[in-house]
């Protein structure tokens, strides 16, 4: 999910990035390792991937694993990239908003899809909402957050008129951060994103965004 927005990467995060192959044969081995890493991450409550265990699970020599993932953190970052791409295809879809929905309906729909995505992909939930994140994963998740913020802006602007065509990406990113915090607390306390957490996040986000969008936006005239 590309938005043209790019966060500066720290040296620590850069050292925790995977070496993504271009060769087709290497790509097949890389995808095999991604699948094995996801399976290992799903086995444990805490997120942890050991490279020797990953090599054993995937049936791939350890030197090959280390060529793609120079450290365990790089394997986690590879999974974060993988699920970011999955989210782009499963969550970032055209909205079916109506004037009655107004902007709240679009925000609700996108966040609802996010919750469905995390239920479908529990490893992605661990990565985004878990207690421990390395620098590489944090960088990827922040980049992904800005991509979703731009998605919300795009979808709202497609159906409604934002006064002055203001760029509210930072505001939508703040809304995502609020949601992540409440959902993360729910995962910590209950092991899942509960209905109460979803309702609490919607109230908090609506209250925050009303400060910049108002309660209703004018519908954009149909072409």
């Amino acid at each position: 999910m590309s938005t043209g927005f790019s966060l500066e990467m720290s040296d620590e995060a850069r050292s925790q990035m995977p070496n993504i192959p271009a060769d087709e044969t290497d790509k097949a081995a890389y995808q095999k390792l991604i699948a094995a890493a996801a399976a290992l991450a799903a086995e444990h409550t805490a997120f942890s991937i050991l490279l020797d265990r990953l090599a054993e699970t995937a049936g791939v020599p350890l030197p090959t694993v280390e060529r793609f993932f120079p450290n365990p953190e790089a394997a986690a970052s590879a999974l974060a990239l993988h699920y970011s791409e999955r989210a782009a295809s499963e969550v970032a879809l055209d909205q079916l908003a109506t004037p009655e929905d107004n902007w709240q309906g679009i925000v609700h729909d996108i966040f609802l899809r996010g919750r469905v995505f995390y239920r479908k992909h529990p490893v992605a939930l661990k990565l985004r909402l878990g207690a421990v994140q390395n620098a590489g994963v944090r960088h990827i998740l922040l980049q992904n957050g800005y991509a979703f913020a731009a998605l919300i802006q795009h979808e709202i602007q497609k159906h409604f008129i934002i006064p002055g065509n203001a760029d509210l990406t930072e505001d939508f990113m703040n809304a995502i951060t609020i949601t992540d915090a409440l959902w993360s607390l729910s995962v910590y306390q209950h092991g899942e994103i509960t209905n109460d957490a979803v309702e609490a996040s919607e109230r908090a986000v609506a209250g925050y965004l009303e400060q910049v969008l108002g309660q209703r936006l004018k519908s954009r005239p149909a072409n």
Side-chain angles (χ1 to χ4, degrees), residues 14-30:
R14 189 173 290 106
S15 72
Q16 297 174 355
M17 289 294 147
N19 298 314
I20 301 174
D23 179 82
E24 290 302 322
T25 301
D26 285 345
K27 283 182 180 179
Y30 183 85

Side-chain angles (χ1 to χ4, degrees), residues 8 18 57 62 68 83 85 89 101 110 112 116 118 127 159 168-169 206 220:
E8 184 176 351
T57 301
L62 181 57
F68 297 132
Y83 284 111
E85 292 171 358
S89 61
D101 291 328
I110 291 175
L112 181 62
V116 170
Y118 289 133
L127 279 163
H159 297 281
L168 303 176
T169 303
R220 189 171 293 280

Side-chain angles (χ1 to χ4, degrees), residues 11-203:
D11 290 340
E12 182 182 11
R14 189 173 290 106
S15 72
Q16 297 174 355
M17 289 294 147
N19 298 314
I20 301 174
D23 179 82
E24 290 302 322
T25 301
D26 285 345
K27 283 182 180 179
Y30 183 85
Q31 290 304 319
K32 189 175 183 180
L33 288 171
I34 290 292
L40 286 174
E43 287 180 2
H44 307 287
T45 301
F47 189 94
S48 177
I49 299 176
L50 300 176
L51 295 187
D52 55 352
R53 180 73 190 285
L54 178 57
E56 179 184 352
T57 301
V60 174
L62 181 57
T64 300
V65 176
E66 292 174 333
R67 181 156 57 89
F68 297 132
F69 309 138
N71 46 56
E73 291 80 11
S77 296
L79 276 182
L81 285 168
H82 169 74
Y83 284 111
S84 292
E85 292 171 358
R86 293 292 295 268
S89 61
E90 296 182 24
V91 181
L93 303 172
D94 287 338
Q95 307 298 305
L96 299 175
T98 70
E100 288 71 31
D101 291 328
N102 218 271
W103 62 263
Q104 292 92 337
I106 292 177
V107 173
H108 168 81
D109 189 39
I110 291 175
F111 285 6
L112 181 62
R113 291 180 188 180
R115 185 194 190 193
V116 170
F117 178 81
Y118 289 133
R119 281 185 166 177
K120 184 178 178 181
H121 303 290
V123 172
L125 183 145
K126 286 184 183 181
L127 279 163
R128 187 167 193 98
L129 303 178
V132 179
Q133 294 174 349
N134 65 53
V137 169
R138 284 197 300 273
H139 177 87
I140 292 164
L141 295 182
L142 277 172
Q143 188 78 47
N144 182 254
Y146 275 104
F148 273 97
L151 166 70
I152 296 171
Q153 167 99 9
H154 172 75
E155 293 298 335
I156 288 178
Q157 210 155 23
K158 186 164 64 175
H159 297 281
F160 305 102
I161 298 173
I162 295 178
N165 290 319
D167 183 358
L168 303 176
T169 303
E170 288 289 346
D171 294 291
F172 294 127
M173 182 61 182
N174 289 342
I176 291 169
T177 302
I178 291 168
T179 300
D180 281 352
L182 291 169
W183 287 9
S184 181
L185 179 61
S186 177
V187 171
Y188 177 77
Q189 292 178 328
H190 306 288
E192 64 175 348
I193 303 168
T194 64
N195 291 335
D196 286 345
V198 172
E199 292 173 3
S201 65
E202 287 190 359
R203 289 194 301 270

